[in-house]
Amino acid sequence: MARRTHITLGSSFALGILLALAWTWALAAPLEPPVHIAPPIRGPDDYTFTPLPPPEPRIAPTAVTLKAVAIVGDVEEHTSSFKQDMDRAVAVLQSRSVVVEKFYYGDRSFTWRDIVTAATGAHFLLYMGHGVYWSGNCNQPTLVGGFYLGLNQFVHPDQIRSDLNGRMAHGAIVILSHVCFSAGQSACDPSGSPSQDEAARRVQMYAAPFVDIGLKAYFANNYFQSAENYVNLILADPATRKTVGDIFKSVYPNDSNKFRDLSYSKPEYDMWLNGETGAWHHAFVGIPSYRFMADRCELAPLPSVLTFTYNLATGALRPPGRTITPTALYCPLNWTVARDGNWFTVTPTSGRTPTDSLQVQPLTTTLSGYAVGRYTGTITVTVTDPPGTINSPQRITVTVDVGRPRLADLPPVLTFTYFVSDSTLIPSVHLLDLRNVGSEDPLSWTALRSGTWFTFAPASGTTPQTLWITPTVFPDTPVTLTGRLTVTVISPTGTLSPVQSTALTLRVVPQASWFAYLPCVMRH
């Protein structure tokens, strides 16, 4: 009996160890966040709006200050849980020094105009609430998009296009959570729907106004904590920060087996869905390679090459000079300029965005002594303050093509043959192609003939131009007629090879013209 008791106690101990390990594993495993879609709400059929006045020109801030607008609309009994979910995202934003203005239904009184004012210069726009459809029925809507703020305040997609255009900061991002249709799924879809095509159609409509006003990324997700996860990754350490495309693939419920890479009508933009028929809870529209860096100063790309041409004959410089305006993204920059090349100047050698520009001026007195050819130099623009600015320094290659106009070589001889027996002229006409091959300048020219058996047209003109030569006299006995056409450039002076001539010959022969027959094989 004692033996049996010993075995029972040992088995119980082992079972307890297994249960403890299983509990530990369960606690350590990440919990799947709940998913919830706010019910759809239909916008009024007779809805109209008055566009708000366009934004005032913004003065560049003295330092980088990130801004966000967080909206939670009236979602009846779900409003409280949505506020809690939004607060988690707001806490992350504020922990990264983002200034957040919250518009929570029930916490304050606000209008769409108030939101638009707050969104001026904002980098993030977050919304949790009802998805809106404007026509059709909820599972086959003809138009979806916009917001419902509460108290019968609707925001139409066209209002977003109109009122937010030009207001939000460069590189801004929109994040929608629990919003019907925004990720493809709606709360009124029957089981097993919608299809991928219908989900994509809805996402494209919901994202369109934000893409149209230039936002770089649109995220839509129906899971709790998704907004928090998005902003946490968007504002990660700049040294290891992911692109928005990779961020989409890093947020729950991403599944590589359910990833759908779809096209979007705007260049550079893609549309991605992650899900399957009847379960579309994760969507992205944007520029996948875009990396949010608005929390760091950045020098916008400058032109990589500046080109000039200089005509040794006329002294003409084209263009007469170039202006470059360094542009800052997110904050003002102090910059300096260094030049490598003695045939041009750059002034001033320092400045500050957004007010100052630099002038690039080739020196014609120097270029007039250069031989025909291409000459290069470089301009280096370096941001001196603030330190660590992205895209600094930048180098611009400056080139000048020094040339002298030259009339393209004319053929030395052109020959016509006239066959008396069948009155055939080969060729019926000769063409002279008059071009300037030394510079881009047009050449004014005249032409004179020696010989009366042909005509030519036109008698004068400007390059590039084609001159036609046509025989008009056809003897009925064998003979050879000769002549000459001379082309003279009259402007500009100093043109190389300004006078050229072509010898012309008309051979009159008694025999008939000959024909060449080539075999042809046809297959049916």
Side-chain angles (χ1 to χ4, degrees), residues 123-171:
H123 303 83
F124 300 95
L125 178 62
L126 295 84
Y127 171 70
M128 298 183 184
H130 284 296
V132 187
Y133 68 104
W134 298 89
S135 53
N137 57 56
C138 68
N139 55 17
Q140 283 294 324
T142 55
L143 176 63
V144 298
F147 308 136
Y148 178 68
L149 308 180
L151 299 177
N152 208 35
Q153 291 190 80
F154 288 86
V155 179
H156 192 276
D158 288 340
Q159 273 181 283
I160 296 173
R161 287 186 179 91
S162 172
D163 297 340
L164 292 185
N165 187 30
R167 288 189 182 270
M168 299 189 68
H170 176 82

Side-chain angles (χ1 to χ4, degrees), residues 142-368:
T142 55
L143 176 63
V144 298
F147 308 136
Y148 178 68
L149 308 180
L151 299 177
N152 208 35
Q153 291 190 80
F154 288 86
V155 179
H156 192 276
D158 288 340
Q159 273 181 283
I160 296 173
R161 287 186 179 91
S162 172
D163 297 340
L164 292 185
N165 187 30
R167 288 189 182 270
M168 299 189 68
H170 176 82
I173 292 173
V174 61
I175 300 172
L176 306 185
S177 300
H178 317 295
V179 179
C180 214
F181 309 114
S182 65
Q185 199 73 30
S186 82
C188 65
D189 287 319
S191 178
S193 66
S195 65
Q196 176 180 301
D197 288 345
E198 174 62 15
R201 188 179 70 90
R202 297 172 179 182
V203 172
Q204 185 168 16
M205 285 192 288
Y206 233 103
F210 303 105
V211 173
D212 292 345
I213 64 174
L215 271 60
K216 301 296 185 184
Y218 162 99
F219 294 106
N221 193 308
N222 295 325
Y223 282 82
F224 282 88
Q225 302 171 30
S226 60
E228 171 191 4
N229 292 332
Y230 284 134
V231 297
N232 198 38
L233 291 170
I234 292 169
L235 294 174
D237 182 349
T240 58
R241 189 171 295 174
K242 297 180 178 181
T243 64
V244 291
D246 286 339
I247 288 172
F248 172 79
K249 296 176 181 179
S250 303
V251 172
Y252 190 87
N254 187 73
D255 183 338
S256 60
N257 295 320
K258 299 177 180 180
F259 177 76
R260 307 289 186 268
D261 185 354
L262 308 176
S263 62
Y264 194 83
S265 57
K266 186 173 182 178
E268 295 189 272
Y269 283 72
D270 275 343
M271 178 168 63
W272 295 348
L273 303 185
N274 200 288
E276 57 191 349
T277 298
W280 305 101
H281 299 295
H282 191 29
F284 164 82
V285 176
I287 303 174
S289 60
Y290 172 69
R291 196 184 313 271
F292 184 84
M293 285 293 180
D295 50 344
R296 296 184 64 186
C297 293
E298 181 176 349
L299 177 63
L302 298 171
S304 58
V305 178
L306 299 179
T307 60
F308 298 90
T309 61
Y310 178 72
N311 190 320
L312 288 169
T314 63
L317 175 69
R318 294 189 179 90
R322 296 289 294 269
T323 300
I324 300 174
T325 303
T327 302
L329 303 178
Y330 318 125
C331 68
L333 307 173
N334 292 334
W335 49 263
T336 61
V337 176
R339 169 182 60 91
D340 180 16
N342 61 0
W343 54 268
F344 64 96
T345 61
V346 181
T347 55
T349 56
S350 63
R352 180 175 174 82
T353 64
T355 56
D356 296 334
S357 300
L358 56 93
Q359 306 293 325
V360 182
Q361 183 60 61
L363 301 172
T364 56
T365 54
T366 300
L367 295 175
S368 64

Side-chain angles (χ1 to χ4, degrees), residues 382-453:
T382 303
V383 175
T384 56
D385 185 59
T389 295
I390 300 172
N391 287 341
S392 172
Q394 293 188 38
R395 290 176 177 81
I396 304 169
T397 299
V398 187
T399 68
V400 61
D401 288 319
V402 177
R404 186 181 294 275
R406 183 173 74 84
L407 181 63
D409 292 338
L410 300 182
V413 177
L414 293 176
T415 300
F416 296 92
T417 301
Y418 179 68
F419 298 89
V420 175
S421 296
D422 56 6
S423 301
T424 300
L425 177 67
I426 299 178
S428 60
V429 65
H430 271 303
L431 304 179
L432 288 182
D433 186 17
L434 305 182
R435 296 178 296 116
N436 181 357
V437 294
S439 69
E440 297 178 354
D441 303 273
L443 305 179
S444 297
W445 57 268
T446 61
L448 294 174
R449 69 175 180 174
S450 173
T452 58
W453 55 268

Side-chain angles (χ1 to χ4, degrees), residues 1-11:
M1 188 71 179
R3 179 185 178 93
R4 290 177 61 188
T5 302
H6 176 73
I7 293 173
T8 302
L9 290 174
S11 299

Side-chain angles (χ1 to χ4, degrees), residues 418 420 424-425 428 453 470-477 479 481 506 508:
Y418 179 68
V420 175
T424 300
L425 177 67
S428 60
W453 55 268
T470 307
T472 57
V473 175
F474 305 103
D476 54 8
T477 58
V479 68
L481 303 179
L506 174 63
V508 180

